[in-house]
């Protein structure tokens, strides 16, 4: 690997500036723009997990999700280590699989000792098929169907009950059962945090969870239905959060409910404080480290329990974005370019809103890196346009890039969370493949969809079939 000093005189700035610092192996992955294994080889190409990104695109096609196992494993380990360092009680980290649910990802995080948070029958099925044991799975969601609840009960996973209908449906389902089903209650703690309004969930006006004013009647209902084994409570206040204070406040609010539950004869054992830690999408983002975030949760719970003379609960959290977001880059191949004199230059790529709907949905801002020309000065400003028939399909509004030609490869970092999981087939564009890279090995974890896949679920009524 060559190492070129990064100059910051505005002329020589190149994609090198985004490489993670080599001298800090303890870096928190969520504070790095590129995966921790990112380097540059002597062909001036970006290397992730020991594989040349340009070669990966030649081998697996484009666009391509490239998932670095070192970054994902490091994030899992930092979460677990932070709990063992800062919490004297038992703890469990759940991976919020809504961020990216597929067999390989579930199996990898489970191998790292994490449990899994699922929000649908489909995510539950995926986690089970990946070999995750049911007692390590927590089933969330504000509108689980009776069928999903039945599936959850049959598998033996933990159910995070969100509302009265679910509570009543479960009680009915178990009427004739002699088995107790472990449940947690999702509460809306009334805590505000600064993030995009679509991804804020803990404030009172939220579709999720029980209103705090009604919780006592919920406790009363549960105490009359012994089949419902209420083991704990849960809250999640939002996502892509950079402040620590809201989670400190959350610990205190939630511990108060432990004491109240006891007065209804319920002995809660688990406290799940959700996810939410932010990551770097650009160098302007400045999230706290994984360790600092976990320490805040732990200290908040320890203090709140001490103040009320309560034993420490089993403490859970369920990060998604900060575990898998920084571990992935999406590689695109550059195609057509268009100059609109005095207005804007467009560089089009072979994907866009179908593989990354976040810019069009949340106005999320990303950086682009010229993976095939890492040391070239970033002398151009251009919009990176997706290939979909929609003017708003712009991956980045103002990207700093070197001069590019058709065939060049660019990557967008920070695409591990909520990209594949929210991907669509808009314009009947097949979803990309994904590879897991590690020490020069690249394993396919998601096959690229084919045109046949696109019509697999289509049905053609008899009368429309051509003779
Ligand atoms: N637990 C619950 C109950 C959640 O609703 C979420 C995220 C998480 C955990 C994980 O939060 P994280 O650690 O990833 O922040 N699609 C949006 C994000 C939606 C988040 C939904 N809930 C995005 O692309 O930004």
């Amino acid at each position: 690997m060559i190492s070129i000093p990064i100059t910051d005189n505005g002329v020589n700035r190149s994609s090198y500036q985004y490489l993670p610092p080599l001298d800090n192996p303890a870096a928190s992955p969520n504070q790095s723009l590129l995966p921790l294994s990112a380097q540059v080889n002597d062909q001036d190409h970006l290397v992730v997990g020991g594989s040349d990104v340009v070669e990966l695109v030649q081998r697996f096609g484009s666009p391509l999700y490239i998932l670095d196992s070192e970054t994902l494993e490091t994030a899992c380990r930092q979460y677990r280590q932070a709990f063992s360092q800062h919490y004297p009680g038992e703890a469990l980290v759940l991976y919020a699989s809504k961020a990216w649910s597929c067999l390989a990802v579930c199996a990898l995080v489970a191998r790292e000792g994490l449990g899994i948070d699922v929000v649908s029958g489909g995510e539950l099925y995926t986690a089970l098929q990946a070999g995750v044991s049911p007692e390590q799975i927590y089933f969330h969601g504000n509108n689980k169907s009776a069928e999903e609840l039945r599936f959850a009960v049959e598998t033996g996973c933990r159910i995070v009950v969100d509302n009265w209908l679910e509570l009543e449906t479960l009680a009915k389902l178990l009427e004739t059962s002699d088995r107790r089903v472990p449940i947690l209650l999702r509460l809306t703690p009334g805590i505000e945090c600064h993030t995009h309004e679509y991804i804020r969930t803990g404030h009172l006006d939220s579709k999720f969870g029980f209103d705090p004013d009604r919780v006592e009647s919920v406790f009363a209902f549960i105490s009359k239905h012994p089949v419902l084994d209420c083991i704990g409570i849960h809250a999640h206040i939002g996502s892509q959060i950079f402040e620590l204070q809201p989670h400190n406040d959350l610990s205190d609010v939630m511990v108060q409910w432990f004491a109240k539950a006891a007065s209804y004869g319920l002995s809660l054992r688990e406290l799940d404080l959700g996810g939410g830690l932010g990551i770097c999408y650009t160098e302007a983002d400045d999230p706290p480290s994984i360790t600092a975030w976990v320490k805040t949760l732990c200290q908040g719970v320890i203090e709140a329990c001490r103040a009320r003379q309560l034993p420490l609960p089993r403490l859970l959290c369920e990060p998604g974005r900060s575990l898998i977001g920084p571990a992935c880059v999406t590689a695109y191949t550059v195609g057509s370019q268009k100059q609109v004199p005095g207005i804007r230059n467009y560089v089009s790529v072979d994907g866009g809103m179908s593989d990354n709907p976040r810019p069009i949905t949340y106005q999320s801002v990303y950086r682009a890196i010229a993976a095939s020309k890492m040391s070239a000065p970033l002398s151009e400003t251009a919009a990176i346009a997706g290939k979909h028939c929609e003017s708003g399909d712009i991956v980045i509004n103002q990207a700093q890039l070197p001069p590019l030609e058709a065939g060049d490869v660019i990557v967008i970092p920070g695409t591990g969370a909520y990209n594949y999981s929210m991907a669509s087939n808009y314009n009947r564009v097949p979803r990309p493949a994904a590879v897991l890279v590690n020490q020069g090995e690249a394993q396919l974890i998601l096959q690229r969809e084919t045109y046949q896949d696109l019509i697999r679920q289509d049905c053609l009524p008899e009368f429309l079939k051509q003779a």
Side-chain angles (χ1 to χ4, degrees):
M1 300 292 157
I2 46 171
S3 113
I4 296 177
I6 302 158
T7 55
D8 197 10
N9 57 11
V11 177
N12 287 344
R13 284 172 74 92
S14 70
S15 296
Y16 266 85
Q17 68 188 294
Y18 297 121
L19 290 183
L22 275 178
D23 51 353
N24 185 6
S28 195
N30 69 318
Q31 295 177 320
S32 174
L33 198 73
L34 275 167
L36 299 181
S37 68
Q39 288 178 314
V40 178
N41 65 14
D42 49 16
Q43 282 156 288
D44 203 27
H45 293 173
L46 177 67
V47 170
V48 177
S51 289
D52 180 321
V53 164
V54 177
E55 282 173 18
L56 287 175
V57 164
Q58 281 159 3
R59 188 169 151 209
F60 295 100
S62 174
L64 183 65
Y65 296 117
I66 301 170
L67 182 62
D68 179 40
S69 65
E70 181 187 329
T71 307
L72 179 53
E73 285 162 9
T74 303
C76 293
R77 288 171 199 167
Q78 287 187 1
Y79 267 104
R80 293 194 62 198
Q81 276 160 11
F83 275 106
S84 48
Q85 204 180 336
H86 298 289
Y87 197 66
E90 219 190 305
L92 177 66
V93 180
L94 306 172
Y95 163 61
S97 69
K98 72 206 76 179
W100 182 337
S101 170
C102 71
L103 295 179
V105 167
C106 289
L108 193 151
V109 298
R111 200 181 60 159
E112 287 300 319
L114 273 61
I116 307 264
D117 142 4
V118 300
V119 290
S120 67
E123 285 184 2
L124 173 57
Y125 180 76
T126 306
L128 290 168
Q129 290 296 310
V132 182
S133 55
E135 65 279 8
Q136 298 276 94
I137 302 178
Y138 287 65
F139 192 176
H140 295 266
N142 67 307
N143 193 22
K144 304 174 196 76
S145 65
E147 197 183 305
E148 285 177 315
L149 288 172
R150 203 168 302 119
F151 181 25
V153 168
E154 275 163 18
T155 63
C157 69
R158 276 58 183 134
I159 303 173
V160 184
V161 177
D162 194 277
N163 52 59
W164 275 106
L165 178 64
E166 277 182 14
L167 209 53
E168 285 158 1
T169 309
L170 268 180
K172 207 161 185 143
L173 209 65
L174 296 163
E175 233 163 23
T176 54
S177 163
D178 48 8
R179 227 178 80 206
R180 300 192 78 202
V181 169
I183 63 166
L184 285 84
L185 297 175
R186 178 166 184 166
L187 310 184
T188 316
I191 287 176
E192 299 280 342
C193 53
H194 298 124
T195 189
H196 193 287
E197 78 174 292
Y198 291 1
I199 53 181
R200 236 188 315 157
T201 49
H203 53 307
L204 286 175
D205 179 13
S206 162
K207 69 171 181 170
F208 297 103
F210 289 98
D211 186 322
D213 294 341
R214 311 265 168 83
V215 181
E216 296 205 47
S217 50
V218 177
F219 288 156
F221 180 92
I222 293 171
S223 62
K224 291 193 204 103
H225 292 83
V227 278
L228 301 174
D229 180 15
C230 187
I231 60 171
I233 49 176
H234 162 271
H236 168 78
I237 56 177
S239 199
Q240 185 62 356
I241 300 172
F242 290 173
E243 309 153 283
L244 291 172
Q245 191 58 40
H247 279 94
N248 187 61
D249 299 346
L250 177 64
S251 307
D252 194 62
V253 169
M254 295 298 280
V255 167
Q256 291 174 24
W257 292 106
F258 267 68
K260 290 225 172 84
S263 61
Y264 287 86
L266 304 174
S267 61
L268 304 185
R269 290 144 355 242
E270 295 197 351
L271 175 57
D272 181 346
L273 295 178
L277 174 60
I279 68 168
C280 286
Y281 288 105
T282 76
E283 63 280 19
D285 294 330
D286 188 20
S289 67
I290 289 174
T291 309
W293 188 81
V294 171
K295 190 175 166 192
T296 301
L297 297 191
C298 297
Q299 284 183 342
V301 172
I302 293 168
E303 275 164 32
C305 287
R306 190 179 299 139
R308 294 172 185 85
Q309 294 176 332
L310 291 170
L312 288 180
R314 185 179 195 228
L315 185 54
L316 283 80
C317 69
E318 44 195 36
R321 190 190 313 267
S322 52
L323 280 170
I324 202 159
C328 181
V329 300
T330 304
Y332 298 105
T333 303
V334 170
S336 64
Q337 300 195 36
K338 177 180 178 182
Q339 275 84 37
V340 186
I343 300 182
R344 199 195 292 271
N345 294 341
Y346 288 95
V347 172
S348 290
V349 293
D350 51 356
M353 61 185 285
S354 60
D355 59 79
N356 183 359
R358 297 193 72 259
I360 202 162
T361 314
Y362 314 115
Q363 302 77 47
S364 310
V365 181
Y366 286 86
R367 282 289 170 262
I369 290 171
S372 50
K373 293 181 171 156
M374 287 296 286
S375 61
L378 307 180
S379 55
E380 318 283 311
T381 303
I384 298 185
K387 68 174 276 144
H388 300 87
C389 273
E390 182 138 340
S391 308
D393 179 26
I394 301 291
V395 185
I396 300 179
N397 259 312
Q398 281 202 309
Q400 295 302 125
L401 295 163
L404 295 172
E405 292 152 33
D408 270 320
V409 174
I410 63 165
V411 302
I412 308 290
T415 55
Y418 308 109
N419 277 229
Y420 168 70
S421 63
M422 300 204 304
S424 74
N425 290 127
Y426 183 43
N427 296 155
R428 288 242 141 165
V429 172
R431 270 176 285 222
V435 286
L436 184 69
V437 290
N438 187 27
Q439 297 184 355
E441 294 276 319
Q443 308 271 347
L444 197 60
I445 59 167
L446 288 167
Q447 282 182 15
R448 184 173 302 284
E449 283 178 344
T450 62
Y451 292 149
Q452 290 80 20
D453 291 329
L454 294 175
I455 61 164
R456 200 174 302 286
Q457 305 299 333
D458 290 14
C459 303
L460 195 57
E462 218 36 63
F463 77 98
L464 289 174
K465 287 186 183 154
Q466 302 208 339

